[in-house]
Amino acid sequence: MRPTLQAAGLLVLLCTLAACATSSAPGHESQKDPGTDLAAYSSFAWQPALGEGAGDQPTRLLDTRIRDAVHAELTGRGYVEDAASPGFLVTYETTLKDKVKSSPFRIGIGMGGFSGNVGGSVNVGTPSVKNYQEGTLVIHAIDAATRREVWYGTVSGEVDRSSLDAATVARAVGIALQDFPRRAP
């Protein structure tokens, strides 16, 4: 019976470690139009926002950081920004949602044995609630000739407004664009 008790103890320990090891890394998703070879494009430009005229909207700090990060990612992958004759257009959108994360009341029971001795413990956790904001960034690539979306990538995760510095934004943009291909030579 001792091996079964040790195996059960090991299983409980592995499950506990797996639960503790869950990452708070941002979520990522992307989709590509299967009939489009994105790496065949050579240039990109920014898609004007709806209702956007020449200089009628103030440039916001976050907008500048996102655009700079997207520009750096795409040029690093071999694409050239060309407003006159782009192969694809880039646009993005952001959302911010209030979320609640709750940890319910929980009871943990453990048993173990060593050298012929058997012991056990009981742990009781109190419920907790945490309010946070989840931000999502969606980057779209649109074929400039057909005006058809050919790719999009998203990243979402917990947002701390005080840490929306350029480096944090660049990491988020890098995650959103991680599946965007490098340009074919």
Side-chain angles (χ1 to χ4, degrees):
M1 181 164 185
R2 188 171 287 158
T4 306
L5 191 61
Q6 287 176 339
L10 181 60
L11 180 63
V12 169
L13 177 63
L14 289 175
C15 289
T16 303
L17 289 175
C20 291
T22 56
S23 172
S24 61
H28 165 70
E29 177 186 338
S30 70
Q31 285 196 8
K32 174 190 167 299
D33 176 17
T36 302
D37 180 13
L38 295 170
Y41 292 110
S42 61
S43 60
F44 70 96
W46 287 96
Q47 167 76 30
L50 292 176
E52 184 178 304
D56 65 351
Q57 302 261 338
T59 303
R60 293 178 178 84
L61 185 59
L62 183 58
D63 179 63
T64 300
R65 289 178 179 160
I66 292 171
R67 286 175 178 259
D68 289 349
V70 169
H71 181 270
E73 279 288 327
L74 291 178
T75 57
R77 293 169 188 268
Y79 300 94
V80 177
E81 186 169 1
D82 182 0
S85 60
F88 66 95
L89 302 170
V90 179
T91 188
Y92 74 90
E93 58 192 272
T94 59
T95 61
L96 193 61
K97 295 178 187 173
D98 291 324
K99 295 277 195 162
V100 176
K101 184 186 302 182
S102 66
S103 298
F105 178 79
R106 31 187 210 285
I107 297 175
I109 300 173
M111 286 181 21
F114 182 76
S115 186
N117 296 317
V118 176
S121 68
V122 175
N123 182 14
V124 178
T126 59
S128 64
V129 176
K130 176 184 174 187
N131 294 321
Y132 68 98
Q133 290 187 311
E134 180 182 79
T136 301
L137 169 66
V138 183
I139 301 173
H140 304 272
I142 301 161
D143 183 279
T146 63
R147 300 286 194 213
R148 184 175 45 92
E149 182 178 53
V150 292
W151 183 91
Y152 77 84
T154 68
V155 61
S156 59
E158 191 170 331
V159 173
D160 178 4
R161 287 182 183 245
S162 65
S163 68
L164 289 177
D165 57 44
T168 303
V169 171
R171 277 192 302 276
V173 166
I175 292 169
L177 288 171
Q178 73 185 15
D179 298 332
F180 200 86
R182 297 197 173 280
R183 183 172 172 268

